[in-house]
Amino acid sequence: MKVLEMVICLIALGFFISEVGADGTGWGGRNGDGLSFYYYQKSCPQAEDLIARLMKDIVSQDARVPPRLIRMHFHDCFVRGCDGSILLNSTSNNKAEKDAAPNNPSLQGFNVIDQIKQVLESQCPNVVSCADILTYAARESVALTGRFNRYAVRGGRKDGRISLESEALQNLPPPFANVSSLIQSFALKGLSLEEMVTLSGGHSIGVSHCSSISGRQVNFKNSGIPDPTLDSNLAASLRQRCGNVSTVDNIVVMDTITPTTLDNKYYTGLLQNKGLFTSDQSLLTDTRTLREVGGNSALPSAWGTKFVNAMTKMGEIQVLTGKQGEVRRKCSLVN
Ligand code: HEM
Ligand SMILES: *[C@@H]1O[C@H](CO)[C@@H](O)[C@H](O)[C@H]1NC(C)=O
Ligand SMILES: *[C@@H]1O[C@H](CO)[C@@H](O)[C@H](O)[C@H]1NC(C)=O
Ligand SMILES: *[C@@H]1O[C@H](CO)[C@@H](O)[C@H](O)[C@H]1NC(C)=O
């Protein structure tokens, strides 16, 4: 290409990028823009395989890791996009996302990301972003806990420099949310009603603290009785584990049918009124979400495909790419 053509090309490209940047999100571009497969092929070709190997080792030592990282990825992407903002520590004058009530103390696994980052820094310094590490690690978490093919993930997310408690509170749906507010909070991130129900299947693995179930097992909304929409056997076993809420903040499994497998049994449990949170149960209260729940319960492999697609889409929300953001040296600190 001649120099002049190249210059024109670059100007056109710059124009295109700035157009995309001006889409009203206030940061990042249109979802997924600027990401690519094999992003680290030249700069750190071993990155994805290395993360896969490390995750396999780490998870063989600690089976709690996959659900933690799947949830962490969701909480990263819903607040300022998938920019690693969930990983930043609070500072003396800023309370960060990770210390907001929806995350602290229930969200764990930060040390796993730090550990992976340390290995990557020793092999390819300043190359692989924390936002990408979390996205790849979440993908491995899905592959290791479900009967999923290891799906392809695009790379190129840059790390943000801002993390605010207030934005975590605004953007992360609470466990007592009703179906209309769930639909709305996902729509604000560009995810459909169907994708919201599909992604709720994340609750087919992992655990919750008793304090998150809003007393459904004993004294629902101060009615003095358990939530009538909660299966009474599950309510009884939750009373055994949790007693009268927050006396001891024990841990309970989210999917009683297959607690450690990422599968569609979450939906089967839901149809038996065994969803743990009001937000889970509320998926039965709207004919459109109920239809999705029924379909996902009936068709495991169709749900699997939809789950991978929705995870991919969630993983590309409002990403920073190109010259935006930075590649952090430590995931808990801005450079
Ligand atoms: C639909 C709205 C959602 C609400 C209201 C919600 C809420 C919660 C709450 C309250 C917990 C338990 C925290 C605790 O007390 O320890 C939890 C755990 C979890 N959530 Fe969600 N969540 C939602 C969507 C999602 C999505 C979209 C995913 C991923 C695709 C996800 C994945 C998980 C996982 C894997 C856990 C278990 C974490 C662990 O074992 O440590 N959730 N969620
Ligand atoms: C971030 O906070 C965690 C937990 O308090 C701490 O272990 C870690 O060392 C901090 N990171 C840095 C870079 O100071
Ligand atoms: C759902 O929750 C939102 C937010 O708390 C509330 O404004 C709305 O009135 C609720 N809708 C229904 C149908 O209960
Ligand atoms: C829970 O609280 C109720 C009312 O305060 C009380 O009657 C009951 O014995 C308590 N149950 C447990 C398991 O502490």
Side-chain angles (χ1 to χ4, degrees):
M1 218 189 303
K2 295 213 183 65
V3 175
L4 183 62
E5 285 172 31
M6 199 131 120
V7 169
I8 291 172
C9 249
L10 285 174
I11 292 172
L13 187 70
F15 192 73
F16 175 65
I17 290 170
S18 58
E19 280 290 286
V20 166
D23 72 346
T25 57
W27 62 81
R30 196 176 297 134
N31 293 345
D33 258 331
L35 301 178
S36 55
F37 296 114
Y38 312 114
Y39 181 82
Y40 295 105
Q41 190 162 42
K42 288 206 174 114
S43 55
C44 190
Q46 69 271 43
E48 288 192 54
D49 286 343
L50 187 63
I51 293 170
R53 267 195 289 121
L54 289 169
M55 278 297 293
K56 212 173 154 201
D57 279 3
I58 293 167
V59 172
S60 72
Q61 305 285 312
D62 186 350
R64 297 171 304 179
V65 167
R68 288 172 170 180
L69 296 188
I70 292 169
R71 181 168 183 239
M72 189 184 290
H73 180 50
F74 162 52
H75 283 200
D76 186 30
C77 294
F78 263 54
V79 186
R80 272 187 180 265
C82 315
D83 67 341
S85 54
I86 186 71
L87 305 168
L88 287 173
N89 278 2
S90 294
T91 61
S92 52
N93 49 21
N94 180 60
K95 199 164 173 187
E97 290 171 29
K98 67 159 65 154
D99 289 321
N103 294 321
N104 188 352
S106 64
L107 186 63
Q108 305 274 322
F110 297 107
N111 56 333
V112 173
I113 300 300
D114 291 340
Q115 196 181 333
I116 295 172
K117 174 66 170 175
Q118 206 180 352
V119 178
L120 283 166
E121 284 305 283
S122 72
Q123 302 202 6
C124 322
N126 307 327
V127 169
V128 187
S129 70
C130 298
D132 274 348
I133 293 175
L134 178 52
T135 310
Y136 291 135
R139 179 263 305 272
E140 302 308 330
S141 299
V142 170
L144 288 166
T145 53
R147 265 182 249 103
F148 291 95
N149 291 324
R150 187 162 160 272
Y151 54 95
V153 165
R154 298 201 282 177
R157 294 163 194 77
K158 293 292 166 62
D159 297 323
R161 296 176 51 86
I162 298 171
S163 177
L164 303 171
E165 175 198 35
S166 57
E167 294 187 340
L169 292 168
Q170 273 161 35
N171 290 283
L172 297 172
F176 47 83
N178 59 38
V179 69
S180 46
S181 79
L182 290 176
I183 294 168
Q184 196 193 5
S185 45
F186 278 67
L188 283 171
K189 304 298 162 188
L191 296 167
S192 67
L193 172 148
E194 179 180 355
E195 287 163 334
M196 184 274 286
V197 179
T198 298
L199 286 168
S200 295
H203 287 177
S204 88
I205 47 168
V207 295
S208 168
H209 291 76
C210 293
S211 52
S212 295
I213 62 181
S214 324
R216 293 182 74 209
Q217 80 283 16
V218 14
N219 180 14
F220 184 57
K221 292 186 175 163
N222 283 323
S223 62
I225 55 162
D227 185 342
T229 66
L230 176 64
D231 172 78
S232 59
N233 290 319
L234 179 58
S237 83
L238 289 172
R239 281 193 294 276
Q240 293 215 317
R241 288 284 294 159
C242 298
N244 275 356
V245 203
S246 73
T247 34
V248 266
D249 204 3
N250 277 339
I251 274 169
V252 294
V253 300
M254 311 246 282
D255 169 4
T256 48
I257 306 176
T258 52
T260 58
T261 311
L262 187 58
D263 61 12
N264 72 326
K265 290 297 186 293
Y266 161 80
Y267 301 98
T268 307
L270 261 192
L271 291 171
Q272 302 166 2
N273 295 320
K274 290 177 183 161
L276 196 56
F277 306 134
T278 296
S279 56
D280 299 312
Q281 175 69 26
S282 78
L283 300 178
L284 308 180
T285 63
D286 176 299
T287 51
R288 296 163 300 170
T289 54
L290 176 60
R291 192 176 329 117
E292 293 298 323
V293 171
N296 292 339
S297 169
L299 301 169
S301 73
W303 169 75
T305 304
K306 289 199 292 181
F307 186 73
V308 162
N309 290 337
M311 282 292 281
T312 302
K313 192 164 168 191
M314 185 177 86
E316 299 187 352
I317 294 172
Q318 292 167 329
V319 288
L320 302 173
T321 57
K323 288 195 155 46
Q324 299 166 325
E326 62 186 20
V327 173
R328 271 178 227 146
R329 278 181 210 99
K330 283 198 172 200
C331 292
S332 55
L333 280 184
V334 296
N335 289 343

